[in-house]
Amino acid sequence: NGTGALRVRATRVGADSTLAAIVRLMRDAQNSRAPLQQLADRISAVFVPAIIGLSIVTFIVWASTAHDAPVMRGFSAAVAVLIIACPCAMGLAVPTAVMVATGRGAEQGVLIKGGDSLQRAGEVDTVVLDKTGTVTEGAPVVSGVIVAASGRVTVDDLLEFTAAVESLSQHPLAAAIVAECARRGLAVRQAKHFSSTSGLGATASVDGHAVVIGNAAMLRHMSIDPEPLAAGLDGVASQRETSVLVAIDGVAAGLISLADPIRVTAAPAIARLQAAGLDVVLLTGDRHGVAESVAHEVGVRRVVAGVLPEGKVAEIARLQREGHVVAMVGDGINDAPALAQADVGIAMGGGTAIALEAADAALMREDLGAVADAIDLSRRTLRVIRQNLFWAFAYNVIAIPIAAGALYPSTGLLLSPVLASAAMAMSSVTVVANSLRLKR
């Protein structure tokens, strides 16, 4: 801006900025402990005193059986056992893999909140997807306005009344209706006494008129008959569009249809999830016809539609009772309880703050492929952790007897403390190098 003046409002600064949140999430994740770390801790709790005891026994055996310099040989062998058995590799096996994996996830646009979330994501067998803002763009546009045959209001009146209420709502459909009103040059009237019913709709008073907007269930909830709009609803359903019903002063006045484009990346991402052996479920509060149409287009075979936020939670709980490990992907306030209920909650990065807070991972790019990336990364991390633990344990099983002198009678081989320290260091280097493979 070279010729005019700018007025800038900073909505988030310092510790509240997105960058600061990312740094905070990464720091917490890389300092967190995966549940598999508890296995390493339990082994170490028994392993360390056992090695100290074995070292003492080694000294006693050498001191009582060696023919030349028995005390020095015993002391050398005992120290070699202590050094070579140092459980550094076992202690590094899990945290190095978690640190590398969370860093790699951030490079891919996936912020994983901790080691426990990383491990659970690797065990997921069912992925539940919200529709609006997850499978679809979440940026709907008004595609049509239908007024009831009673002729109580005009198209412009219907839009103005609806936009007045929706201007106070955070729902993606609300923003689209307000934008359409502005595009047509219509005035946004003042709404009072706004009240939102999650999963159904909202009510308000506009210019002295009681306005109810939402789905058919919302109108019935307010004792309003949606039947005058039935024909319009059928037409909207056949075109894979979502409808917002409007009632004014207790009478159905019209409906606004909205189209929400499907994300270009949705179908390939869902195909990747299914190819990885995961069951994919589309879970939405939208009508069944719309949900089935979207599911067919992106290749999802299981659809649960027409559910309220508590219904989403109940569906995820049902899947968990059946023995499934469930990941839920969503972006809205309505999805937050389901994200919290799921074994792994994954929030789309453009979603609401409460959804991001409730989730175990956040996608910083608006791409469902990031979900497949996150689960693939988690599975590879679990494999690396198990390899690390196996190597650390197997190394000690092989190396400790050699350090104690088990091969000396037959081969004359006896490790000095210097060689034992080199071998111990190599085991740690091997574990770290194996974890670094996750960077590729």
Side-chain angles (χ1 to χ4, degrees):
N1 180 41
T3 58
L6 288 177
R7 293 186 65 190
V8 179
R9 180 191 297 271
T11 57
R12 293 187 180 182
V13 296
D16 296 327
S17 67
T18 300
L19 176 61
I22 291 172
V23 171
R24 187 165 55 250
L25 280 173
M26 290 300 301
R27 184 184 296 117
D28 292 345
Q30 294 188 336
N31 288 331
S32 67
R33 294 160 58 89
L36 276 174
Q37 180 68 49
Q38 297 173 3
L39 173 62
D41 292 345
R42 288 197 300 270
I43 294 173
S44 296
V46 176
F47 181 78
V48 172
I51 290 302
I52 293 174
L54 180 60
S55 175
I56 294 171
V57 170
T58 300
F59 174 79
I60 294 171
V61 171
W62 275 100
S64 59
T65 58
H67 299 295
D68 56 323
V71 174
M72 287 302 299
R73 283 186 177 274
F75 184 75
S76 177
V79 170
V81 168
L82 285 175
I83 292 174
I84 208 166
C86 177
C88 296
M90 200 171 295
L92 290 169
V94 179
T96 54
V98 170
M99 181 170 289
V100 174
T102 51
R104 177 58 177 161
E107 291 174 2
Q108 295 178 314
V110 180
L111 294 182
I112 302 171
K113 292 188 178 180
D116 53 344
S117 302
L118 185 67
Q119 180 173 328
R120 287 201 306 273
E123 298 165 351
V124 164
D125 60 25
T126 303
V127 178
V128 177
L129 304 174
D130 177 50
K131 181 180 74 69
T132 304
T134 303
V135 175
T136 64
E137 293 283 356
V141 293
V142 173
S143 55
V145 181
I146 300 172
V147 294
S150 61
R152 289 171 59 90
V153 295
T154 65
V155 168
D156 286 353
D157 288 336
L158 190 72
L159 277 170
E160 288 181 1
F161 276 110
T162 308
V165 181
E166 296 286 34
S167 65
L168 303 177
S169 172
Q170 293 185 349
H171 197 282
L173 299 180
I177 294 171
V178 174
E180 177 65 16
C181 196
R183 189 186 69 80
R184 298 191 182 202
L186 303 176
V188 177
R189 307 187 189 195
Q190 187 70 32
K192 299 179 181 179
H193 313 301
F194 175 85
S195 176
S196 175
T197 304
S198 186
L200 292 177
T203 63
S205 174
V206 181
D207 294 344
H209 298 281
V211 181
V212 178
I213 62 172
N215 53 27
M218 179 65 176
L219 266 62
R220 295 191 189 97
H221 176 70
M222 301 299 294
S223 302
I224 301 171
D225 183 12
E227 186 60 31
L229 304 176
L233 278 173
D234 292 340
V236 169
S238 66
Q239 300 176 30
R240 194 178 54 76
E241 294 178 345
T242 300
S243 58
V244 173
L245 278 62
V246 184
I248 300 175
D249 294 331
V251 179
L255 65 83
I256 301 172
S257 59
L258 301 101
D260 190 4
I262 293 174
R263 293 186 187 275
V264 176
T265 58
I270 289 168
R272 280 184 61 194
L273 292 170
Q274 292 170 337
L278 297 163
D279 290 330
V280 180
V281 181
L282 185 66
L283 181 63
T284 177
D286 214 334
R287 290 177 295 111
H288 200 273
V290 175
E292 285 283 0
S293 178
V294 171
H296 177 74
E297 192 164 336
V298 298
V300 175
R301 290 182 288 273
R302 290 184 60 189
V303 177
V304 180
V307 291
L308 300 177
E310 55 268 28
K312 293 182 179 181
V313 174
E315 177 63 19
I316 290 174
R318 185 188 67 79
L319 290 169
Q320 290 170 327
R321 287 195 300 272
E322 292 177 357
H324 296 288
V325 181
V326 181
M328 169 71 190
V329 187
D331 75 321
I333 291 175
N334 291 347
D335 301 322
L339 291 171
Q341 173 67 37
D343 297 285
V344 181
I346 303 175
M348 301 295 284
T352 60
I354 190 171
L356 293 171
E357 185 66 28
D360 300 295
L363 307 183
M364 300 310 292
R365 67 183 203 261
E366 299 290 325
D367 179 2
L368 272 180
V371 177
D373 290 339
I375 292 175
D376 176 64
L377 176 64
S378 299
R379 288 180 170 182
R380 288 190 291 117
T381 303
L382 286 182
R383 284 200 299 270
V384 166
I385 288 174
R386 293 187 179 107
Q387 290 166 3
N388 287 349
L389 290 172
F390 171 80
W391 165 249
F393 187 73
Y395 158 81
N396 283 301
V397 169
I398 296 169
I400 291 171
I402 296 175
L407 298 180
Y408 184 78
S410 58
T411 65
L413 177 63
L414 185 64
L415 287 182
S416 70
V418 174
L419 291 177
S421 64
M424 183 273 294
M426 284 305 299
S427 70
S428 298
V429 169
T430 302
V431 165
V432 173
N434 192 43
S435 296
L436 288 172
R437 291 192 304 114
L438 290 166
K439 291 280 290 180
R440 296 200 301 273

